[in-house]
Amino acid sequence: QVELVESGGGLVQAGGSLRLSCAASGGTFSSYDMGWFRQAPGKEREFVTFISWTGAKTYYTDSVKGRFTISRDNAVNMVYLQMKSLKPEDTALYYCAARVAGGGYYSRAREYDYWGQGTQVTVSS
């Protein structure tokens, strides 16, 4: 059983930056692919980005390409989401998710087995 705890959310002005962190415990972190998803009020949860268990593969939804960067540190069981040039439409509850490494790219919520509670990101205009 993997437990995930997100942190780093907050209120930021448009154009600003935030760095989200996700701490994992209870499993062999280096054997899990990781993803970030987000959910805005009244909308479905949507994929943001993915990183493979080694960190060699990453994948981003089009709306965040060039602005967001996912990374991981398997030595300390952490995954990060660096967000720059934030826009009001990035406002959402951001979730960290994990799945047993599968060798592919995974962008659907149902493909992930473990979820954190989320951290709120609010971008003001």
Side-chain angles (χ1 to χ4, degrees):
Q1 186 76 13
V2 176
E3 293 188 6
L4 303 171
V5 179
E6 303 94 336
S7 61
L11 174 63
V12 63
Q13 290 188 332
S17 299
L18 280 175
R19 187 196 196 205
L20 305 185
S21 298
C22 174
S25 62
T28 305
F29 180 69
S30 59
S31 65
Y32 288 89
D33 294 327
M34 301 296 295
W36 285 96
F37 289 75
R38 65 187 180 187
Q39 188 166 17
K43 295 188 177 182
E44 293 187 354
R45 190 171 299 189
E46 67 169 349
F47 169 78
V48 177
T49 182
F50 159 89
I51 189 166
S52 63
W53 64 284
T54 63
K57 296 180 182 178
T58 59
Y59 178 62
Y60 298 88
T61 193
D62 286 346
S63 62
V64 308
K65 284 180 182 177
R67 301 189 299 122
F68 289 13
T69 303
I70 189 171
S71 62
R72 66 188 295 163
D73 186 342
N74 287 348
V76 293
N77 294 358
M78 296 289 293
V79 64
Y80 306 100
L81 181 61
Q82 178 68 52
M83 305 185 295
K84 299 180 180 179
S85 302
L86 283 161
K87 305 175 181 179
E89 51 264 44
D90 295 318
T91 295
L93 189 60
Y94 282 71
Y95 296 92
C96 174
R99 54 160 289 129
V100 174
Y105 294 84
Y106 304 97
S107 62
R108 293 175 289 189
R110 64 176 182 269
E111 295 176 309
Y112 290 79
D113 302 307
Y114 305 102
W115 293 83
Q117 294 300 306
T119 185
Q120 179 67 38
V121 172
T122 303
V123 184
S124 64
S125 57

